[in-house]
Amino acid sequence: MKRAIGAAAVLAAAFLVVPSGPALADEVEQVVNGGFTAGVDPWWSSPGMPITLTDGRACVTVPGGTTDKWDVSVGQNDIDLVAGETYRFSFTASGAPEGHVVRAITGLSVAPYDTYFEASPALTVAGDSYAYTFTSAVTTAQAQVAFQLGGSAESWGFCVDDVSLLGGVPPEVYEPDTGPRVRVNQVGYLPSGPKRATLVTAATTALPWQLKNSAGATVARGRTTPRGTDVSSGQNVHSIDFSGYRRAGTGLTLVADGETSRPFDLGKQAYDRLRADSLKFFYTQRSGAEIRADLRPGYARPAGHVDVAPNLGDGDVPCQPGVCDYRLDVTGGWYDAGDHGKYVVNGGISTWQLLSEYERGTRVHAPNPSLAIPESGDRVPDILDETRWELEFLLKMQVPAGHPYAGMAHHKIHDAAWTGLPLLPHLDPQQRELHPVSTAATLNLAATAAQAARLYRRFDPAFAKRSLAAARTAFTAAQANPALFAPVTDGTGGGAYNDSVVDDDFYWAAAELYLTTGEKRYADVILASPVHTADIFGAGAFDWANTAAAGRLDLALVPSKLPGRAEVRASIVRGAEKYLAIQKAHPYGVPYAPANNMWDWGSNSTILNNMVVLASAYDLTHDRRFRDAVLEGMDYLLGRNALNMSYVTGYGEVSSHNQHSRWYAHQLDPALPNPPAGSLAGGANSSIQDPYAQSKLTGCVGQFCYIDDIQSWSTNELTINWNSALAWIAAFTAGLH
Ligand code: 9MR
């Protein structure tokens, strides 16, 4: 579970439900009296929840009205674990009424209560057997086995028996189910676009392929191109190009090497739907607003963090102890991700990207889809109404006049301690705290508020004026405090979002202020910045921490009288040429090739942001190579990849749907929904920081460092800055014919 586990990542190797295998000579039972044949000892239970022995099983009546899973538990301490040894954790359990979830863990019995292994099965009244295998990364005599039962509004009954933690068992090897070896964009190709696929095969010479229509008739054929070993996956692959086929249709398949791809369409409707769905994601991330059933059937929930118990609310939030002596109303905004935190730096890039999508739309005359939000129909484009929800929050994070650091922005606001999963926003009982101001957050506020001033002017001049004033104040405050950095250590209860390089943020904020006001003082900052002429297009073009490209792209695309603008525009095209070359060399058509094949946290958004550079180069040049590159980049996200899955929920035959989230936690509580259609998963992350991914994916190669499980917060979260990238690109592709 995310962050409830503390900073130390402590688990490695494999985890699988396994039938009990043949006993090995050195298998050693670690649990004492796991069958409860000798009474209750040495098992313990939370105060007020005594264990009773019923038909030889240990049973408890779990009280209702607790918040986190670990609020009430049954367990046994003083368990020995040895680093590198593999354990089989098994038990039988039942729960009544049906469907209650037990969080079964092996972890540390003392602070900081690290979790070494966890599983959260939904229990049946009849009872079931459960067995899991994991390898311990620690040696300790202070482990525990525990069954965490809290978090239910109602009281329920739990029984457990035959608890075993057997050491010395063989490790399990995790094999993802990757389906047919012909990998395609499972959603669809544009009739006028490139149509490429990847075949995983042992063959080293060209093979025939056939394109089949939904009736199974061959409509095109050709031969594959052997590509050798793909670095990003370690696979031997061929590529297939069927771009010549242009007839719209549904249910097509590609056949090669005896394998038939998952079905796909040829048409452009998919991107129209994705343009809206990827933006609709933001409404359901809103803090401080009830999510209405009529607007989002299946996703209704009460407003979170509006000072209604058990929330302590965001209406009157103190600073962390010692940080400030005032309190702020910081209601509203979007929850960052699967947590309930709100972070100005990540809110900033997300806001910029949605506003940039809107601003591009004004240049290319793109329609603004209806997003079915409460403000729909108010004559303001829905994308601007949605983004304003976040902008109002960002403005509230600015220190008011009369206080120390007036004009600076607090870096973030979140819970004082990590909460568990699942947890609906309105049920979060934690104290909310403002964290210190930072230069990066202040410049994010300056940039986005300046951008807002130019884009909302024609809809709400008063708001535009207020935004511009806040932006100017923030920029001046950042100049006076240019080195206040959020530390990496401030990661309890929320993400650190640490950033100690702010040249890029100064550049971006100056760019937005200049584009909005045309004032020389901001142009001077831009022209004097080394960032202005630097080659900023590395393995990833931009992200929440690296914002130079946000400034550069807008300086290239938003009309202004900036001296040397032609060179700014040329720099975008040069960046795009780089990503084009990377994509061309990539057998899966990915415009991303990180150094040492170390895929970033949230790599799917990195890929999308590289595609934003390609798309911007297309806008600047109308060179079709750039447009085609964006379309081919989408193929990776929608299924043409080593795992043969779409990373966008509800798009493609097999798609991510168990993203890490406290309220889309269907995998942990069947009564909760999966994420809404159009939610992007973070994607392959070579560093696999979470224990669950470590238990399954240790040693993974590039593209394989991903798992669609709610526990895997480092590969499978959903986040506003990832969906903003998807939304930007979906709007671009929806506009292509
Ligand atoms: O996306 C962020 C990634 O770039 C950072 O390396 C990581 C560690 O700081 O944090 C990621 O962001 C998470 C944030 O800290 C908390 N909310 C969820 C975000 C996505 O996982």
Side-chain angles (χ1 to χ4, degrees), residues 39-216:
V40 167
D41 279 353
W43 292 90
W44 51 259
S45 61
S46 297
M49 189 181 69
I51 299 173
T52 55
L53 294 181
T54 311
D55 302 332
R57 300 172 304 155
C59 297
V60 291
T61 301
V62 183
T66 62
T67 304
D68 279 314
K69 277 286 168 199
W70 51 82
D71 290 344
V72 272
S73 358
V74 171
Q76 179 173 135
N77 293 351
D78 303 322
I79 287 181
D80 281 326
L81 292 178
V82 176
E85 180 144 316
T86 300
Y87 296 84
R88 182 180 303 126
F89 179 26
S90 61
F91 55 91
T92 62
S94 64
E98 192 93 3
H100 278 281
V101 172
V102 58
R103 181 171 182 247
I105 66 137
T106 301
L108 190 59
S109 63
V110 295
Y113 301 102
D114 293 330
T115 305
Y116 306 141
F117 173 78
E118 65 174 289
S120 293
L123 302 172
T124 61
V125 173
D128 275 310
S129 300
Y130 303 91
Y132 312 90
T133 303
F134 70 96
T135 302
S136 180
V138 295
T139 297
T140 176
Q142 288 187 300
Q144 66 175 201
V145 161
F147 299 93
Q148 300 179 345
L149 306 163
S152 165
E154 301 86 37
S155 167
W156 60 287
F158 169 75
C159 295
V160 66
D161 200 2
D162 301 324
V163 186
S164 163
L165 186 70
L166 207 55
V169 301
E172 300 290 337
V173 178
Y174 169 70
E175 284 280 349
D177 176 6
T178 53
R181 289 182 286 104
V182 186
R183 305 292 158 73
V184 297
N185 176 334
Q186 294 172 23
V187 175
Y189 297 85
L190 221 58
S192 67
K195 297 168 204 78
R196 302 203 173 97
T198 301
L199 169 69
V200 180
T201 176
T204 51
T205 53
L207 296 171
W209 59 259
Q210 297 91 36
L211 178 67
K212 307 222 168 183
N213 65 16
S214 56

Side-chain angles (χ1 to χ4, degrees), residues 282-614:
F282 291 87
Y283 172 56
T284 35
Q285 288 294 118
R286 283 192 194 184
S287 177
E290 171 201 7
I291 305 305
R292 282 168 40 184
D294 58 326
L295 300 177
R296 289 296 181 281
Y299 289 92
R301 60 172 173 82
H305 300 97
V306 286
D307 304 352
V308 174
N311 277 174
L312 298 179
D314 288 355
D316 189 31
V317 180
C319 279
Q320 286 177 304
V323 167
C324 76
D325 60 5
Y326 51 85
R327 302 167 83 96
L328 292 182
D329 171 358
V330 289
T331 46
W334 300 312
Y335 295 117
D336 189 56
D339 60 333
H340 302 145
K342 303 191 288 194
Y343 311 85
V344 172
V345 285
N346 206 40
I349 196 75
S350 311
T351 298
W352 170 79
Q353 200 152 32
L354 294 196
L355 292 183
S356 156
E357 174 180 337
Y358 167 76
E359 193 164 30
R360 175 180 182 273
T362 62
R363 289 193 299 270
V364 302
H365 309 293
N368 285 303
S370 168
L371 303 181
I373 56 177
E375 299 82 2
S376 293
D378 69 354
R379 289 200 310 230
V380 178
D382 282 2
I383 185 171
L384 288 188
D385 280 327
E386 187 55 60
T387 310
R388 183 153 172 186
W389 192 263
E390 178 72 5
L391 277 161
E392 294 283 3
F393 159 73
L394 295 175
L395 291 165
K396 291 177 186 174
M397 292 291 277
Q398 190 166 32
V399 179
H403 295 294
Y405 297 120
M408 297 288 285
H410 287 277
H411 197 69
K412 53 182 189 161
I413 175 253
H414 57 68
D415 293 331
W418 283 111
T419 55
L421 274 69
L423 184 63
L424 282 157
H426 71 286
L427 297 177
D428 172 17
Q430 282 285 328
Q431 178 62 52
R432 310 278 279 176
E433 288 176 339
L434 288 163
H435 291 243
V437 299
S438 73
T439 310
T442 304
L443 291 166
N444 270 259
L445 173 64
T448 51
Q451 189 188 14
R454 119 177 138 250
L455 298 175
Y456 290 79
R457 200 147 37 196
R458 52 183 279 235
F459 302 103
D460 187 343
F463 175 63
K465 205 170 154 206
R466 174 157 67 93
S467 296
L468 185 56
R472 287 184 192 280
T473 304
F475 194 75
T476 307
Q479 284 180 315
N481 300 280
L484 292 178
F485 303 137
V488 66
T489 46
D490 189 13
T492 302
Y497 279 117
N498 51 296
D499 184 4
S500 52
V501 177
V502 294
D503 287 2
D504 53 337
D505 306 294
F506 270 111
Y507 175 67
W508 171 37
E512 299 300 344
L513 277 158
Y514 171 71
L515 292 170
T516 298
T517 66
E519 287 171 16
K520 181 172 177 303
R521 59 177 144 161
Y522 299 120
D524 289 346
V525 176
I526 294 166
L527 297 174
S529 169
V531 176
H532 188 50
T533 47
D535 177 3
I536 55 174
F537 296 114
F542 60 92
D543 56 41
W544 63 265
N546 302 290
T547 58
R552 187 78 68 80
L553 285 164
D554 279 357
L555 289 174
L557 290 154
V558 179
S560 80
K561 297 198 166 63
L562 187 77
R565 190 153 168 268
E567 171 50 27
V568 175
R569 292 160 76 93
S571 77
I572 305 297
V573 179
R574 280 197 300 274
E577 291 283 4
K578 266 199 213 176
Y579 299 125
L580 204 61
I582 290 168
Q583 180 180 56
K584 234 177 146 181
H586 201 301
Y588 277 97
V590 189
Y592 172 65
N596 305 318
N597 200 31
M598 284 297 289
W599 287 51
D600 287 314
W601 193 324
S603 62
N604 284 340
S605 74
T606 316
I607 293 165
L608 283 160
N609 286 340
N610 291 356
M611 287 156 60
V612 168
V613 178
L614 287 160

Side-chain angles (χ1 to χ4, degrees), residues 711-725:
Q711 318 276 16
S712 183
W713 44 263
S714 70
T715 78
N716 198 34
E717 193 153 355
L718 43 73
T719 300
I720 53 173
N721 62 317
W722 302 342
N723 246 78
S724 65

